[in-house]
Amino acid sequence: MQTRPIPSDGLPFRKMHGAGNDFVILDSRGMAPVCTAALAKAVGDRHRGVGFDQLAEIRDGVDTDIELDFWNSDGSRAGACGNATRCVAALWMGETGRDRVTIRTSRGVLQAEMHGDAIWVNLGEPVLDWAQIPLSHAVDQQHLPLDGDPVAVGMGNPHAVFFVDDIAAVDVAARGAAVEHDPLFPQATNVEFVQVRSRGEVRMRVWERGTGITLACGSGACAVAVAGAQRGLTDRHIRMEVDGGWLELDWTDEGVWMTGPVAHVFEAVLSPQLLGALE
């Protein structure tokens, strides 16, 4: 994809979060996209840049209202980002006064809707075929041959979901980093650890590929809803406590829907000094 030159006089952006899952939002509607791996990595640095779990760049839609590209803080591309999608949907609905939006991502065409004060996004049907998740070879998707007996689910990103008895006892950083790059996952994986409290409520912590521990993960939350229902541990409609708050999931015949809080933090401009260092 052809990108436009990084502007030397500064680049406007927004900072938003959904349940503590934080994002930088770039708006490239009406022009070519600007984000590159180098820019994402520089802006994602929480000490020398802005810091984010993912960066989302808004582009003009061709057969949808808008399109979105996602980047991780290490400069790699993310396939999906449910909470960032909800944040951008909130922006677009605020601009247009409409209560639904179609968004094209590398995951496909997603739909977001406003119901009361809540913005729901449909992240689509889960991917349950080992080759499409993807995994490196044919295995039982519901019982991966790894310590802890995780479930593999594709939701635009690959996910490995571990059900545990005591989530407070899990070393999320150590185990997440190890599983992320296990040879079973040729594109690496997000890693979720889940304690089931009841058929309608779970507690989840997450390690995101290319980022690390985050306070929430939308595609990961959807993967957990699918994995719990597949294992017979939860209903298809659940509430989920994450490090950053609460999410609500509903796995329907249309796909996996998710909602939760959305917050606009600030608007600012990336400085010429930061951008100039990328040249």
Side-chain angles (χ1 to χ4, degrees):
M1 180 185 298
Q2 187 69 34
T3 58
R4 72 183 191 271
I6 296 176
S8 60
D9 58 347
L11 182 65
F13 72 96
R14 291 182 174 91
K15 187 74 183 286
M16 300 186 72
H17 76 84
N21 197 186
D22 68 326
F23 315 104
V24 162
I25 312 292
L26 301 179
D27 191 344
S28 292
R29 287 174 290 180
M31 61 191 78
V34 69
C35 196
T36 62
L39 177 60
K41 189 172 182 178
V43 178
D45 188 321
R46 293 190 183 275
H47 302 285
R48 298 176 176 85
V50 178
F52 58 75
D53 292 334
Q54 277 81 36
L55 180 151
E57 185 167 17
I58 311 172
R59 299 189 288 112
D60 293 308
V62 177
D63 55 353
T64 58
D65 293 312
I66 53 176
E67 298 186 5
L68 281 178
D69 294 328
F70 301 113
W71 300 79
N72 295 315
S73 58
D74 68 352
S76 62
R77 297 295 293 264
C81 189
N83 286 314
T85 301
R86 290 192 304 105
C87 287
V88 172
L91 286 175
W92 190 90
M93 291 176 187
E95 292 172 355
T96 64
R98 291 166 55 185
D99 61 4
R100 64 179 56 193
V101 55
T102 56
I103 304 169
R104 180 170 292 283
T105 71
S106 61
R107 166 73 168 144
V109 176
L110 308 182
Q111 179 174 300
E113 300 178 353
M114 180 177 287
H115 297 278
D117 294 331
I119 294 178
W120 288 80
V121 62
N122 183 352
L123 261 69
E125 287 288 343
V127 176
L128 305 178
D129 176 77
W130 71 268
Q132 297 180 27
I133 289 174
L135 303 176
S136 60
H137 58 276
V139 294
D140 182 352
Q141 161 263 334
Q142 294 190 44
H143 296 278
L144 298 183
L146 298 175
D147 288 343
D149 187 31
V151 182
V153 180
M155 290 297 312
N157 302 310
H159 296 271
V161 181
F162 290 80
F163 292 96
V164 300
D165 294 329
D166 181 6
I167 201 166
V170 177
D171 187 339
V172 176
R175 291 191 65 190
V179 175
E180 176 186 3
H181 296 292
D182 187 278
L184 186 59
F185 303 99
Q187 296 179 10
T189 187
N190 289 20
V191 188
E192 289 79 29
F193 301 95
V194 186
Q195 182 175 339
V196 177
R197 292 173 171 169
S198 70
R199 293 197 60 83
E201 183 177 303
V202 303
R203 171 77 167 98
M204 186 264 278
R205 297 198 67 201
V206 60
W207 173 275
E208 293 196 54
R209 63 173 180 172
T211 297
I213 294 175
T214 60
L215 299 185
C217 173
S219 66
C222 292
V224 167
V226 171
Q230 281 194 308
R231 284 275 180 96
L233 300 173
T234 63
D235 297 331
R236 291 167 68 111
H237 191 152
I238 61 173
R239 296 179 69 242
M240 178 182 298
E241 184 182 10
V242 295
D243 286 354
W246 288 85
L247 301 173
E248 186 175 350
L249 292 304
D250 192 11
W251 183 16
T252 73
D253 292 340
E254 300 174 336
V256 187
W257 291 84
M258 179 193 64
T259 191
V262 171
H264 182 277
V265 183
F266 62 85
E267 297 180 25
V269 177
L270 297 172
S271 73
Q273 289 88 347
L274 174 67
L275 299 173
L278 303 177
E279 297 177 353

